[in-house]
Amino acid sequence: MRLLPGLGLSLFMLVQGAPAAPPAANHPIIGVWQLLVADGRCAETYRFRSDGTTLVTSAREVSESEFIIPATPSAKGFYKLEDKIVKDNGKQDCSGEIMKVGTKVTNFVLFHPSGEIFLMCASESTEACIGPFERVRGEDI
């Protein structure tokens, strides 16, 4: 397993898909997560809400998206996460990229058994992942 530094939001790959029912309020993705990138010089904060939306801050960027994630992981232990950017302030993220509204992406999330960290991967493999994302306690979603 290796960290791909500085990729943050730009790692996402384009996908097709329509919004589905939001995840259960007790889904392990629900909550606030932080990813340190650029050798720890920049932080991305992901707020996964139980209504199926996210709020992401990364450097000067603030974006909102809608996401779909199944209730249970695949046989390999990964959750398929589909995401569509619905709002963005047009500023650069930690990797210097600017996300475009309407971008659809998919990644595969692998949780640590503790539920306190996860990796976000390009496929159901740990060959190309970013992370760890660490749960942030005590912050509102």
Side-chain angles (χ1 to χ4, degrees), residues 80-135:
K80 181 178 181 182
L81 175 64
E82 296 178 84
D83 190 81
K84 178 182 176 187
I85 306 294
V86 295
K87 281 180 156 181
D88 190 88
N89 67 353
K91 300 189 188 264
Q92 292 182 334
D93 65 14
C94 287
S95 64
E97 300 293 322
I98 297 173
M99 296 303 293
K100 295 194 177 14
V101 171
T103 299
K104 295 178 184 179
V105 297
T106 192
N107 287 285
F108 296 85
V109 175
L110 181 64
F111 286 93
H112 183 270
S114 70
E116 297 298 311
I117 61 174
F118 71 79
L119 295 177
M120 187 177 292
C121 306
S123 66
E124 287 189 281
S125 163
T126 56
E127 293 297 315
C129 301
I130 58 172
F133 287 76
E134 297 183 32
R135 187 179 294 277

Side-chain angles (χ1 to χ4, degrees), residues 33-47:
W33 301 87
Q34 188 171 69
L35 171 68
L36 296 178
V37 294
D39 296 326
R41 293 185 309 254
C42 193
E44 295 185 347
T45 302
Y46 291 67
R47 287 174 166 77

Side-chain angles (χ1 to χ4, degrees), residues 16-86:
Q16 309 276 328
N26 65 346
H27 194 285
I29 197 79
I30 303 303
V32 181
W33 301 87
Q34 188 171 69
L35 171 68
L36 296 178
V37 294
D39 296 326
R41 293 185 309 254
C42 193
E44 295 185 347
T45 302
Y46 291 67
R47 287 174 166 77
F48 286 93
R49 303 172 181 137
S50 61
D51 66 356
T53 65
T54 62
L55 173 66
V56 178
T57 57
S58 175
R60 297 180 58 218
E61 179 186 41
V62 178
S63 69
E64 292 185 44
S65 64
E66 297 170 346
F67 71 94
I68 300 168
I69 193 165
T72 57
S74 71
K76 292 183 178 182
F78 289 83
Y79 289 86
K80 181 178 181 182
L81 175 64
E82 296 178 84
D83 190 81
K84 178 182 176 187
I85 306 294
V86 295

